[in-house]
């Protein structure tokens, strides 16, 4: 890796931050477990606590640190992003959507706990995420006004103008061919919106200036596309066992970056998006090595 992140130990950083996030996730799951029937408790634990990369909360924590935030309680806020992400995976895997059997190296939540419990467990995670965003924001010491902006950011990114909207486009596009602009738009919403919100929420919690928020918008947009293109490349080149999930998009008649452009050009576009993301950080003078290294990791990951 070149420049700012050259000597940065991303593996150690990911391990340490993911561990902190894990603690906050357990606390969130325990809270909701006390309120729901046992079958939902088990489905929630399966969907949330299985071994994910925790990329969204880690991006949030990194953005917070990059903007001068110092509260160790930032992971309590960051888990709200993982709770939304976990619900989206649980619902996405259901038979009425992607009908997947493998996720994070395990049978999907509905294969173990049933479709109904999974649908309900996923639904329970949405308000829990909003609640955790509010409480986490207050725990790091922001004003009520900023806490409200943070919850709004999360809801907007997760909703019809973000992730859910992207999923609708994705489901509607099955079996048809999308042009480049439509494919980018779908993934900006479906994947990019929550990744961007992860950064913006960390930045808002640290009281970042507008210029930095704008840089994070560009960074999030670029890494969101890089992330999806890399997913398509991995889908085409790795096995389900290595990925820990079903490499399914092209099988389901969905347009993929690799399908349209081939492996080489798709991988090249992903690298260009990473360069774009890092350039946005440079323009706003964000010299944080973790954010630079995370952008690179998004295209170099193996799962
Ligand atoms: C009601 C239409 C409707 C939608 C509900 C299901 C849903 C909301 C949204 C689906 C969003 C989705 C599945 C986006 C894909 C996100 C993505 C790239 C997942 C893989 O993320 P990783 O690699 O996964 O970070 P891990 O397992 O590491 O957390």
């Amino acid at each position: 890796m070149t420049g700012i992140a050259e000597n940065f130990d991303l593996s150690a950083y990911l391990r340490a931050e993911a561990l902190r996030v894990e603690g906050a996730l357990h606390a969130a799951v325990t809270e909701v477990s006390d309120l729901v029937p046992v079958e939902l408790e088990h489905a929630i634990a399966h969907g949330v606590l299985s071994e994910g990369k925790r990329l969204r909360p880690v991006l949030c924590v990194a953005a917070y640190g990059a903007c001068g935030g110092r509260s160790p309680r930032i992971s309590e806020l960051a888990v709200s992003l993982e709770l939304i992400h976990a619900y989206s995976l649980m619902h996405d895997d259901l038979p009425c959507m992607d009908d997947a059997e493998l996720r994070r190296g395990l049978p999907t939540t509905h294969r173990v706990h049933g479709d109904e419990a999974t649908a309900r467990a996923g639904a329970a995670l949405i308000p829990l995420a909003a609640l955790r965003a509010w409480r986490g924001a207050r725990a790091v010491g922001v004003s009520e006004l900023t806490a409200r902006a943070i919850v709004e950011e999360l809801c907007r990114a997760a909703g019809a103008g973000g992730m859910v909207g992207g999923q609708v486009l994705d489901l509607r596009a099955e079996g048809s061919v999308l042009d480049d602009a439509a494919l980018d738009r779908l993934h900006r919403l479906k994947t990019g919106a929550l990744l961007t919100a992860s950064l913006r929420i960390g930045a808002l919690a640290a009281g970042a200036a507008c210029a930095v928020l704008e840089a994070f918008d560009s960074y999030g947009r670029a890494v969101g596309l890089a992330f999806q293109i890399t997913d398509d490349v991995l889908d085409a080149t790795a096995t389900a066992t290595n990925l820990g999930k079903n490499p399914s998009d092209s099988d389901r008649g969905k347009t993929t970056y690799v399908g349209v452009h081939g492996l080489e050009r798709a991988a090249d576009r992903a690298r260009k998006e990473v360069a774009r993301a890092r350039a946005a950080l440079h323009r706003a003078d964000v010299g944080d090595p973790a954010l630079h290294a995370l952008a690179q990791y998004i295209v170099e990951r193996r799962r």
Side-chain angles (χ1 to χ4, degrees):
M1 191 182 312
T2 53
I4 285 170
E6 209 163 357
N7 297 315
F8 184 72
D9 187 348
L10 182 67
S11 304
Y13 179 84
L14 279 174
R15 261 196 313 277
E17 292 309 333
L19 202 65
R20 261 191 280 275
V21 164
E22 224 60 56
L25 271 179
H26 271 91
V29 166
T30 303
E31 179 187 8
V32 79
S33 295
D34 290 342
L35 304 170
V36 296
V38 69
E39 65 274 16
L40 288 206
E41 178 188 340
H42 291 158
I44 287 170
H46 185 114
V48 176
L49 301 178
S50 48
E51 209 181 304
K53 294 184 284 297
R54 312 305 188 209
L55 184 59
R56 292 146 194 84
V58 169
L59 280 171
C60 177
V61 170
Y64 179 70
C67 297
R70 291 294 169 260
S71 170
R73 298 186 68 181
I74 184 63
S75 47
E76 293 173 40
L77 167 58
V79 289
S80 60
L81 293 146
E82 187 67 22
L83 293 170
I84 291 290
H85 173 60
Y87 118 75
S88 79
L89 298 182
M90 289 157 76
H91 281 193
D92 188 45
D93 290 338
L94 283 168
C96 61
M97 295 208 207
D98 268 5
D99 195 12
E101 59 190 41
L102 191 65
R103 170 73 66 186
R104 296 175 168 174
L106 297 173
T108 45
T109 309
H110 68 277
R111 292 277 168 136
V112 179
H113 300 282
D115 298 357
E116 279 186 23
T118 301
R120 291 173 189 165
L125 293 177
I126 305 168
L128 180 68
L131 201 58
R132 286 277 155 176
W134 174 263
R135 288 208 216 129
R138 296 297 280 159
V140 300
V142 305
S143 67
E144 285 204 0
L145 199 68
T146 303
R148 204 164 65 204
I150 285 172
V151 177
E152 270 190 44
E153 191 75 44
L154 180 73
C155 293
R156 211 170 311 123
M163 185 183 75
V164 167
Q167 177 77 348
V168 171
L169 293 178
D170 196 23
L171 293 168
R172 282 204 340 220
E174 261 179 42
S176 57
V177 180
L178 297 181
D179 63 21
D180 271 353
L183 194 57
D184 283 4
R185 174 156 187 271
L186 186 168
H187 291 299
R188 276 203 176 107
L189 295 175
K190 183 178 153 179
T191 310
L194 199 60
L195 289 171
T196 304
S198 306
L199 297 148
R200 285 180 60 91
I201 286 173
L204 286 169
C210 275
V212 175
L213 284 166
E214 278 165 25
F216 284 173
D217 284 341
S218 306
Y219 175 99
R221 224 182 358 259
V223 297
L225 286 178
F227 187 97
Q228 185 56 51
I229 297 166
T230 304
D231 247 22
D232 288 354
V233 169
L234 290 171
D235 260 17
T237 54
T239 62
T241 312
N242 290 340
L243 288 177
K245 63 177 181 176
N246 306 99
S248 59
D249 278 2
S250 57
D251 296 349
R252 294 184 60 84
K254 292 185 185 180
T255 310
T256 69
Y257 288 96
V258 170
V260 174
H261 297 292
L263 267 176
E264 277 313 306
R265 281 182 58 210
D268 190 49
R269 165 98 193 269
R271 285 190 291 272
K272 285 196 174 111
E273 293 298 339
V274 168
R276 215 168 263 157
R278 297 186 64 186
L281 296 181
H282 282 303
R283 276 197 306 279
D285 242 352
V286 180
D288 181 68
L291 285 177
H292 282 270
L294 282 163
Q296 199 66 38
Y297 162 77
I298 277 168
V299 290
E300 288 173 359
R301 68 199 164 91
R302 290 285 161 263
R303 67 180 181 106

